[in-house]
Amino acid sequence: MQGMTLSELARALREGEISSFELTKQCLHRIHEEDTQIGAFLSVFEEDALCAAREFDTLPDRQKWCSPLAGIPTAVKDNLMTAGKRSTCGSRILADFVPPYDATVVSALKKAGAVIIGKTNMDEFGMGSTTEHSAFYITRNPLDSMRVPGGSSGGSAAAVAAGMVPFALGSDTGGSVRLPASYCGLVGLRPTYGTVSRFGLTAFCSSMDTVGPITKTAADNALVYAAIAGRDPKDATGCAFDFHIPKREEPLRVGVIAQLMGEAISDEVRNAIEEAIDVFKATGAMVKRVSLPSLCDALYAYFIISSAEASSNLARFDGVRYGYRAEDCGDLENLYRQSRDEGLGEEVKRRIRLGTYALTRENKEAYYYRALSVKDTLVSQFALAFADCDILLCPTAPDIAPKFGQMQTPTQMYCQDLCTVPMSLAALPALSIPCGKSREGLPIGMQIVGRPFSEGLLYYAGMLYEKEAGK
Ligand code: GLN
């Protein structure tokens, strides 16, 4: 069952070819066999998962098939709260933190009948693009163990790519669902900001944080999105909308983002996107190049805004209320200092420093406000591009998954986010789908970007591409 998609497994369950218990056992078996090598999971709920699956199997038929996720095992990123289960955010400061409640998306999965079998590894607090910044261990890319799986939801992507679960949830602030999906040959959605509840997602950058699914196909992704999307009174930024995949007669109007097809993108990736464009053309799509001049500043703006917000959001980890507390600190000031110093990793500290610097009275104008104005300009430039395009296309990453150690400086790591942060700044939905392979056989990802609330159209375009490219 391990290579099967979510949709195929849902059918097999419904037709009685396999039970949820059997399927869950197979997933756990796969984890036992592979995960010491890969490191996708931070915790596995073996007994609870088997219990939940057995319970599901005994439900009467009319209660069972409440959703396409019913009886399907899954995993969630460790920054999503799970009641009574360790939720570490990949950080030492929360190594023993057990929340008393479930994140709204976790409750939504349970309500849909999914069986949560564990929590996945991540860059600490979501800060990173490789999952090398977890306080616990690295995660390896199941397609090539010498390479990173992408980050920060690298554990979720690796778990799906290795056949340990048919789908998983990640979080995407600046690309953390899309980048690992791309590096692991999977489909990942960054939803429109506000359409999926963040209640119970540990805040990194509140103005850009989202939760999104990682799956093998676009159709599978839509099934998960339908289960987790919706207004939640516990998330003030939430909004409801009518999600459906449109049936279209008219051809798509496709814009290719010129700034993301230039020198910063490797030849292999650029060629793969050009080929994908031809696939869209073959469906009758009208294709044009669009220019978004402010894209060149997006990466700087993203790192300033996200670090500024992180420096404020992470102030709650002070050794008093949550998690790790240093010992023998003397006074309160030292308790804060030492607990944070010992509990937080280097990358997180770097962001806190950068963010605090950008927010000081002397620097606010030059950095923080300037970054916000780049964001505003970008929003208008995207709006202009969407005036005569239904979707925009661009790569998900400038290159294929790097090898461990290849990214030697923080700046090199940040550059992997070049193609994903613009949509985060503009609060747009973006679907990353596989579009070919490199010479070494490693996956290349393409983003399909839409107007706010156009998830249905993104899935339509993704499925159209998968069908046409598979011919
Ligand atoms: N890689 C980006 C960063 O390091 C994005 C992270 C994310 O989306 N959580 O900030």
Side-chain angles (χ1 to χ4, degrees), residues 77 126-129 151-152 171-176 204 302-303 351 417:
K77 188 173 178 178
M127 298 174 195
S129 310
S152 62
S171 67
D172 188 308
T173 303
S176 283
F204 158 17
Y302 167 79
F303 276 95
R351 306 280 180 113
D417 302 334

Side-chain angles (χ1 to χ4, degrees), residues 39 159 179 286 288 340-341 371 444 455 465:
L179 194 70
M286 288 176 294
K288 63 179 251 189
R340 285 168 73 79
D341 189 36
I444 295 171
E455 276 82 350
Y465 171 80

Side-chain angles (χ1 to χ4, degrees), residues 17 111 139 152 268 413:
E17 287 163 22
K111 214 168 124 211
T139 299
S152 62
E268 268 184 334
M413 182 179 76

Side-chain angles (χ1 to χ4, degrees), residues 20 24 46-57 113-116:
S20 174
T24 305
E46 176 144 6
E47 267 177 39
D48 287 16
L50 288 172
C51 220
R54 200 192 294 274
E55 213 169 285
F56 171 81
D57 287 332
V115 176
I116 298 175

Side-chain angles (χ1 to χ4, degrees), residues 127-167:
M127 298 174 195
S129 310
T130 59
T131 317
E132 289 168 296
H133 301 280
S134 161
F136 305 104
Y137 35 82
I138 59 165
T139 299
R140 293 182 181 275
N141 190 321
L143 307 178
D144 177 349
S145 63
M146 299 315 283
R147 292 178 191 266
V148 306
S152 62
S153 315
S156 291
V160 178
M164 298 169 183
V165 280
F167 79 95

